[in-house]
Amino acid sequence: MKPGRLKLIAYWVFTIWVCFGMLSSGVVQLFRVEGAHEFIVNDLGYPDYFLNILGVWKILGVLALLAPGLALLKEWAYAGFFFVAMGVIWSHVAAGSAFGEIFPGILLMALTVASWWLRPESRRLAAGWR
């Protein structure tokens, strides 16, 4: 298998994982799934309305990553996903969560960085935009 083809396959594997994680957690937050909602609001201390903001932006970010073109919007989505993952990690550390509750944030951040790093030229900003 050619290295370029392997890189493209790896990109899509990481991207699908990131999108699945963001889409599923966004839906959980928007629909206030029992357990997750209480944990975010009661244990981590975030206001209830924050779940609407996160849920909507996660779903829009997934759409941006999967849509063809829209390179600038993809960069913003990757940045947003990175900040969300960092927020997850930091929130759990600050709340004294066990490593098992922190690890999904670490995994999400690693998947986001891997997807961004491996993205094909067609999904990058033109050199003039950097």
Side-chain angles (χ1 to χ4, degrees):
M1 187 176 294
K2 295 180 182 178
R5 179 121 171 102
L6 188 59
K7 182 179 174 183
L8 183 64
I9 290 170
Y11 161 76
W12 279 110
V13 167
F14 291 128
T15 302
I16 295 300
W17 272 48
V18 167
C19 289
F20 177 74
M22 288 297 181
L23 181 64
S24 61
S25 62
V27 168
V28 162
Q29 290 163 346
L30 277 178
F31 290 102
R32 307 294 198 272
V33 173
E34 194 173 330
H37 173 258
E38 288 78 16
F39 180 78
I40 293 169
V41 172
N42 298 333
D43 296 347
L44 295 180
Y46 286 100
D48 189 60
Y49 67 83
F50 190 61
L51 298 174
N52 292 335
I53 296 167
L54 277 179
V56 168
W57 283 108
K58 283 179 178 182
I59 293 167
L60 290 174
V62 167
L63 293 175
L65 286 191
L66 295 178
L70 309 172
L72 182 60
L73 202 53
K74 286 181 193 333
E75 292 294 324
W76 280 92
Y78 278 121
F81 287 173
F82 182 85
F83 295 138
V84 164
M86 181 57 73
V88 167
I89 294 166
W90 192 260
S91 296
H92 281 286
V93 168
S97 299
F99 181 75
E101 293 174 336
I102 299 168
F103 181 74
I106 296 169
L107 178 61
L108 185 59
M109 181 179 291
L111 292 170
T112 299
V113 170
S115 173
W116 176 83
W117 186 265
L118 295 170
R119 71 200 187 285
E121 285 298 320
S122 64
R123 293 178 166 265
R124 294 175 184 246
L125 285 175
W129 282 87
R130 292 185 186 187

